[in-house]
Amino acid sequence: MAEEDPIDDYELYVKLFTQHESQLRNFARGLVPTWHDADEIVQEVALTAWKKFDQFEVGTSFIKWVCVIARFKALSYRRKMARDRLSFGENLIELMADESIDELDQRQNEYEALELCLKNLPERQRIWVKLAYTPGITTAEVAERAGVKAGTFYMRLNRIRKALLQCITARLKGEGLA
Amino acid sequence: MSEDLTAQELKWVEDYCNETITPEEFERFEAAMLKSPSLRAATRQYLALDANLRSSADLPEELEDAWTAETTGKVVRFPRWIPIAAAAAVAFFVGILLDGIFRSDTNSVSEETVADVPEVTAEGYAVVHGLVDAAAQGGLELRVGEMLGAEVLDLTSGSARIDFFSGAQLYVEAPAKLEVVSAWEATLHSGKLRVKVPPAARGFVVESNGRRIVDLGTEFGVDTSSEEVRVEVFSGEVELEDRKLTEGQAVALRGDGETIPIGSSIESFSNLFGVSKGFSDTAKRAFEVWKKSSEALSEDPRVIAYYPFLAEPSGEADRVPSGLYPQDGELDGAAILTEWVDGRWGGLKSAVEFSQPGSRVRVKIPGEFSAYSFSCWARIDSLDRQYNALFLSDGYEDGEPHWQIHQDGRMMFGVMVDETRPEAARDGLTKITGLRAARSYYTPQIWDMSMSGQWIHLVSTFDPANRRVAQYVNGELVSQHKIKEGYVIDQLRIGNAEIGNWGQPFRKDPEFAIRNLNGRIDELVVFKEAISAEEVKRLYDQGRSK
């Protein structure tokens, strides 16, 4: 990284990071118990990756590079986590991270298929998904707002996610990508 | 990929993703993950979907506006719609201004950026010292070593030892609701409690039903499972508002303020004096006795359906094998959202739990019969629904049975007599279902919360030839009814039916009545005749849990 011109580097960094941010969050989600934890990891990676951006070789895979950083962040995050959190152990985090790095393309294909599958979802189910994935609000609150018990809410959500996964798998099979 | 998962695996992944997994299940989930690359891959795919849904921008904008407008005031700590790059930009400029911040460890950076989060301090009045098969309300995790502040502990199964910081030790047995008030006081809203107070904790107060029990250095028990609160002193002395009790004395504290001396029954607290682990020899013997009787049922020509729930079929958690010989896969049940759990004799045999609203075992039993009897072993945790299903036919058409337990604890056995006949009469027994003349026969109350978690044997027999309905609990006849003129039907059917819930899967309407039994069933037998009282007694004796 050209030390005399940090602004240009910064623009490149922001461009790369923005481009790969959802892939990174996706990767982090597989290692830690909740979205919130994944957000924390992404936030930490964003800072560390910028700090170490001079070590990044332009032309190599940026997403793989930040995923490796995320792997270490997840491990140290795990060590700081309250003991009573239901989090994967370090062995499993390592396994999941190493296997995830080989699946980045597949995840990207799934993400694209998901966009199409969501379009075909019945309106009511789309509203459920939207409710469930509104940040900053707990499931109990969402369930209350939707007028159902939390158990019912999860059940519907599970069903919708299952349907979406089937749709994604079917689409990718159709395209010969899975 | 998700279709490669077993029902159990899928449930783990879903519950983990929803953060509703219990610590015990999480442990199993993690162990299975370490062994199975395909489970890991499926979990990654599932969690990636979770993450993608969260970042997906494909949802209607107007909906988002409506929703966010409604939720203003909620603190969104890191809203998704502020791109992380913007946060990085802030950090960048802060970095230029505060030279050196990036040189410090990133941990301290995040400490700077989230400085408004209050520091966590430990607080509490008590700590969970030990647990035996304990589960709290709503699957909340309860862990040894966990600190308890002023809070209510709603124990739904097992038992727990809670050590108060005053030094008092409380042993509580499910079902129980215990409120930690301070290091010196607890309120027992319901359930059974044993209190051990060392000299240092003299003056510890247990309140129950508005009455205060002050411990003067002793060991005593409190039991709220009957209408009045029972207090019994095992050793030492306790003080009530109006008297002192010493070793061996017991009283009933009535709601109206009266205190009545009663006989001692220390044995009812026996579970709180240490719980034996593993399978006792008695349990093993009882299980062997049952196995013989189960084999006989398998070949009994009068038995038209038999589900012994012996064990989870390996890799097919959603299949409930029929126990009839010769084996007929057509009679196998399909389990939906149920869990294979320990049965009457702990791990010696399984049972199926129906705790989720959608839990059910679907079966199809062909044929037409001139009488029938239903026998099952059930462990009810609570009666959460207006009607709590044991065994219900889908359509409730002519000659089909509905066997369930009313919320008020009465067992009810119903048969649809003529679904086209207008039903006007109402005599307390007749259920008016529009045009459908059905009849339900209610026992007196046979279940209350004090029986939560206990295995009970239930039988209902329907005998049109003798115009008699008879119902039994734990081998004893609890009610019999005459089948009145106009309600006799001897062409009986079952067809599509459910154990543990009521399904109407053939209706187009996706809504369904929720009648899942919050509990377990570990054996269900259907006979094509009305079995005798002697036979009911034998089934009970051969299937008792001890």
Side-chain angles (χ1 to χ4, degrees):
Chain A
M1 135 180 181
E3 296 207 3
E4 56 282 1
D5 196 358
I7 298 296
D8 277 358
D9 259 343
Y10 182 68
E11 277 173 7
L12 174 63
Y13 174 71
V14 169
K15 184 170 159 266
L16 285 169
F17 200 93
T18 314
Q19 199 181 331
H20 296 289
E21 186 195 331
S22 63
Q23 270 180 293
L24 174 66
R25 174 168 286 102
N26 200 315
F27 175 85
R29 181 70 187 92
L31 310 180
V32 289
T34 67
W35 302 336
H36 175 77
D37 300 318
D39 281 346
E40 293 276 328
I41 302 285
V42 171
Q43 205 165 3
E44 288 189 13
V45 172
L47 296 168
T48 302
W50 167 239
K51 193 171 111 188
K52 298 188 170 173
F53 194 50
D54 57 344
Q55 296 167 16
F56 173 68
E57 282 178 47
V58 178
T60 63
S61 166
F62 181 77
I63 179 65
K64 282 194 181 167
W65 185 64
V66 286
C67 282
V68 170
I69 297 174
R71 178 187 190 275
F72 288 107
K73 289 290 172 196
L75 286 169
S76 67
Y77 189 81
R78 167 80 179 86
R79 287 190 283 268
K80 283 183 290 177
M81 210 180 269
R83 257 187 321 123
D84 60 347
R85 294 282 312 275
L86 298 181
S87 166
F88 296 149
E90 291 183 25
N91 288 346
L92 187 51
I93 290 178
E94 284 172 357
L95 267 174
M96 290 288 274
D98 296 346
E99 290 168 348
S100 280
I101 288 182
D102 296 332
E103 292 171 343
L104 290 167
D105 289 344
Q106 193 196 332
R107 289 289 100 85
Q108 194 53 33
N109 294 335
E110 285 167 5
Y111 179 73
E112 283 156 22
L114 171 66
E115 297 293 309
L116 296 168
C117 290
L118 272 173
K119 285 207 177 80
N120 293 333
L121 208 60
E123 182 66 15
R124 269 173 62 95
Q125 298 198 358
R126 269 210 302 208
I127 293 175
W128 275 98
V129 172
K130 183 68 200 164
L131 292 184
Y133 286 92
T134 300
I137 179 164
T138 67
T139 307
E141 289 170 308
V142 175
E144 194 194 331
R145 206 172 289 258
V148 297
K149 292 202 170 151
T152 312
F153 184 82
Y154 283 130
M155 217 168 62
R156 291 197 189 174
L157 194 59
N158 290 343
R159 217 151 38 203
I160 295 169
R161 281 195 294 241
K162 200 171 167 187
L164 285 172
L165 277 178
Q166 279 163 353
C167 170
I168 291 169
T169 309
R171 276 192 178 276
L172 296 185
K173 268 191 187 136
E175 292 167 18
L177 293 171
Chain B
M1 197 166 263
S2 65
E3 61 261 42
D4 302 336
L5 295 179
T6 65
Q8 173 64 72
E9 288 172 334
L10 180 62
K11 187 167 175 351
W12 279 334
V13 178
E14 288 169 348
D15 289 352
Y16 172 75
C17 180
N18 293 332
E19 297 171 63
T20 54
I21 195 165
T22 64
E24 294 75 27
E25 288 303 318
F26 179 77
E27 222 171 84
R28 283 179 211 152
F29 175 46
E30 189 170 20
M33 289 265 280
L34 285 166
K35 274 189 237 146
S36 163
S38 67
L39 177 58
R40 288 199 298 274
T43 303
R44 283 194 297 277
Q45 191 189 33
Y46 198 95
L47 293 173
L49 173 68
D50 185 58
N52 284 339
L53 282 171
R54 202 176 170 215
S55 9
S56 176
D58 187 53
L59 295 155
E61 280 305 313
E62 66 280 14
L63 182 66
E64 176 162 328
D65 291 345
W67 183 255
T68 47
E70 267 186 75
T71 55
T72 45
K74 293 270 181 281
V75 179
V76 179
R77 183 149 175 254
F78 199 90
R80 171 64 191 91
W81 46 76
I82 298 178
I84 196 95
V90 171
F92 174 68
F93 289 111
V94 167
I96 286 179
L97 294 172
L98 305 172
D99 178 40
I101 197 164
F102 284 134
R103 258 181 276 142
S104 63
D105 172 27
T106 48
N107 296 343
S108 62
V109 172
S110 50
E111 198 178 301
E112 294 294 324
T113 52
V114 295
D116 55 335
V117 176
E119 187 183 352
V120 177
T121 54
E123 62 172 321
Y125 297 126
V127 62
V128 179
H129 179 98
L131 297 168
V132 179
D133 302 330
Q137 180 65 36
L140 286 178
E141 37 184 303
L142 201 57
R143 312 208 109 202
V144 171
E146 189 178 335
M147 220 83 88
L148 300 172
E151 61 188 281
V152 177
L153 201 67
D154 199 341
L155 205 63
T156 54
S157 66
S159 56
R161 172 175 155 186
I162 313 294
D163 284 4
F164 282 65
F165 293 153
S166 59
Q169 299 163 8
L170 272 65
Y171 298 77
V172 58
E173 183 187 355
K177 223 180 200 174
L178 178 75
E179 183 175 354
V180 178
V181 178
S182 74
W184 290 91
E185 186 173 350
T187 303
L188 183 67
H189 293 286
S190 65
K192 254 183 224 174
L193 185 67
R194 170 183 158 223
V195 185
K196 208 173 155 184
V197 173
R202 278 182 193 153
F204 187 84
V205 176
V206 174
E207 194 177 305
S208 191
N209 202 14
R211 306 287 299 269
R212 288 168 74 81
I213 306 153
V214 183
D215 198 299
L216 303 175
T218 182
E219 196 170 335
F220 69 98
V222 185
D223 179 1
T224 68
S225 57
S226 55
E227 243 170 68
E228 54 238 344
V229 175
R230 219 149 50 77
V231 180
E232 175 156 359
V233 178
F234 307 133
S235 75
E237 200 175 39
V238 307
E239 188 177 62
L240 306 172
E241 291 105 326
D242 55 352
R243 73 189 70 197
K244 280 186 180 176
L245 294 183
T246 53
E247 186 169 332
Q249 291 187 318
V251 292
L253 306 178
R254 294 207 330 213
D256 59 11
E258 282 284 300
T259 304
I260 298 161
I262 53 169
S264 146
S265 58
I266 192 169
E267 65 280 6
S268 72
F269 291 97
S270 57
N271 281 349
L272 294 174
F273 286 86
V275 180
S276 59
K277 272 278 169 199
F279 309 124
S280 66
D281 289 339
T282 357
K284 282 184 202 151
R285 270 199 302 275
F287 174 66
E288 288 306 321
V289 169
W290 170 80
K291 243 169 76 181
K292 279 220 175 65
S293 102
S294 166
E295 278 159 22
L297 284 172
S298 296
E299 295 174 318
D300 189 330
R302 301 167 306 150
V303 175
I304 49 177
Y306 182 32
Y307 299 99
F309 301 104
L310 198 55
E312 173 178 350
S314 78
E316 295 181 86
D318 53 357
R319 187 169 73 90
V320 175
S322 159
L324 289 184
Y325 287 104
Q327 278 173 341
D328 179 1
E330 287 296 303
L331 287 170
D332 284 355
I336 295 147
L337 286 170
T338 56
E339 290 239 53
W340 288 88
V341 292
D342 285 352
R344 267 169 283 174
W345 301 283
L348 289 172
K349 148 176 203 325
S350 294
V352 162
E353 189 165 77
F354 301 87
S355 54
Q356 294 190 50
S359 303
R360 58 198 66 220
V361 171
R362 293 199 54 72
V363 298
K364 184 173 185 175
I365 299 166
E368 196 171 286
F369 324 102
S370 55
Y372 46 30
S373 303
F374 298 82
S375 161
C376 84
W377 279 94
R379 199 197 86 166
I380 301 166
D381 292 329
S382 59
L383 296 173
D384 293 349
R385 315 291 174 208
Q386 187 180 2
Y387 301 107
N388 302 272
L390 294 169
F391 186 82
L392 302 181
S393 71
D394 282 350
Y396 204 23
E397 286 160 15
D398 292 357
E400 294 183 348
H402 265 192
W403 193 30
Q404 48 203 338
I405 299 177
H406 192 272
Q407 190 154 36
D408 62 18
R410 292 181 297 164
M411 179 160 74
M412 48 194 285
F413 183 77
V415 176
M416 176 59 70
V417 179
D418 182 353
E419 56 175 334
T420 61
R421 189 172 85 200
E423 185 64 83
R426 182 150 204 168
D427 54 12
L429 289 172
T430 306
K431 189 171 153 63
I432 300 175
T433 49
L435 279 180
R436 317 178 78 195
R439 187 128 193 166
S440 288
Y441 302 89
Y442 285 78
T443 66
Q445 184 182 359
I446 55 133
W447 195 91
D448 62 37
M449 273 311 278
S450 71
M451 297 164 76
S452 174
Q454 292 173 15
W455 285 104
I456 51 174
H457 182 231
L458 304 170
V459 173
S460 292
T461 67
F462 189 76
D463 185 359
N466 294 305
R467 298 207 175 177
R468 181 170 181 266
V469 176
Q471 308 198 71
Y472 306 80
V473 175
N474 290 341
E476 304 275 359
L477 181 71
V478 291
S479 72
Q480 52 182 331
H481 318 262
K482 190 172 162 41
I483 305 174
K484 286 192 184 156
E485 197 60 53
Y487 294 96
V488 180
I489 176 164
D490 58 7
Q491 290 177 309
L492 303 173
R493 275 180 289 266
I494 296 173
N496 291 298
E498 283 187 2
I499 305 169
N501 210 332
W502 187 27
Q504 298 124 306
F506 302 110
R507 297 201 331 196
K508 287 195 177 126
D509 177 0
E511 302 298 323
F512 56 91
I514 296 173
R515 297 194 180 179
N516 69 301
L517 181 78
N518 182 20
R520 306 173 172 190
I521 289 181
D522 117 335
E523 187 177 19
L524 181 101
V525 197
V526 185
F527 297 86
K528 61 175 177 183
E529 68 173 43
I531 57 173
S532 68
E534 290 74 20
E535 185 148 19
V536 173
K537 183 77 170 61
R538 195 159 57 241
L539 282 172
Y540 170 66
D541 285 338
Q542 294 173 339
R544 294 175 62 163
S545 52
K546 325 184 201 355

